[in-house]
Amino acid sequence: MTKVPYDPAKDFAPISAVSTNNFALVVNGKLPITSVAEFTQYVRSKEAGTFAYAEGGAGSITHLAMAMFLHRASLKGTNVSYRGTAPAITDVVAGHLPAMFALFGDALSHAQNGSVRMLAVASDKRSAQAPAIPTIAESGFPGFRAISWWA
């Protein structure tokens, strides 16, 4: 319907947050990268246009979070689109691509077995499930936040 009798932006108001998804910047567990600073150095060390990263679909949060991070860090990268985050993180685990922003829960299970390394979380605060992992904001990018929510 192109004409509706209401304005969806003005006539509706969220009344409660139902769910929030947090994301984490992850790298393949075999890479010698242990921090966001080391990650930015790694990306800078690549020849122009050779850094590629996984994402769970063009325009997805995982894609936009990395695009926003690269922009804030004055870095360049090429996105490799997948049909969802599961196949994307599978290729990061396998070492086909070095990094991605992944759903925190997916990243945590892979980080616990060492197949990926979580460098930082993209939320405002550290996660209670992984309190040693800093936020991206704490890692030199104040105000950086990439979450999804439902209300």
Side-chain angles (χ1 to χ4, degrees), residues 1 6 11 39 44 70 76 92 101-102:
M1 296 185 342
Y6 55 87
D11 294 339
F39 176 71
R44 278 194 182 94
L70 294 174
K76 295 196 185 283
V92 172
F101 273 87

Side-chain angles (χ1 to χ4, degrees), residues 6 30 51 53 68 70 87 91 101 124 133 136 148:
Y6 55 87
K30 294 180 182 171
F51 170 70
Y53 61 92
M68 182 170 65
L70 294 174
D91 269 6
F101 273 87
D124 293 333
I133 306 299
I136 291 180
S148 64

Side-chain angles (χ1 to χ4, degrees), residues 40-103:
T40 59
Q41 290 172 351
Y42 169 81
V43 175
R44 278 194 182 94
S45 74
K46 298 293 180 192
E47 284 188 37
T50 63
F51 170 70
Y53 61 92
E55 44 92 343
S60 67
I61 297 274
T62 60
H63 175 201
L64 298 177
M66 184 65 86
M68 182 170 65
F69 176 80
L70 294 174
H71 177 74
R72 292 271 311 269
S74 299
L75 300 170
K76 295 196 185 283
T78 302
N79 64 301
V80 177
S81 293
Y82 288 82
R83 290 184 177 187
T85 56
I89 200 165
T90 297
D91 269 6
V92 172
V93 166
H96 301 301
L97 290 166
M100 74 177 290
F101 273 87
L103 284 164

Side-chain angles (χ1 to χ4, degrees), residues 98-139:
M100 74 177 290
F101 273 87
L103 284 164
F104 179 81
D106 295 344
L108 183 61
S109 63
H110 289 292
Q112 288 171 336
N113 72 23
S115 58
V116 301
R117 185 172 300 108
M118 278 197 293
L119 303 180
V121 294
S123 55
D124 293 333
K125 297 178 183 174
R126 291 181 182 214
S127 169
Q129 292 89 1
I133 306 299
T135 66
I136 291 180
E138 291 175 311
S139 301

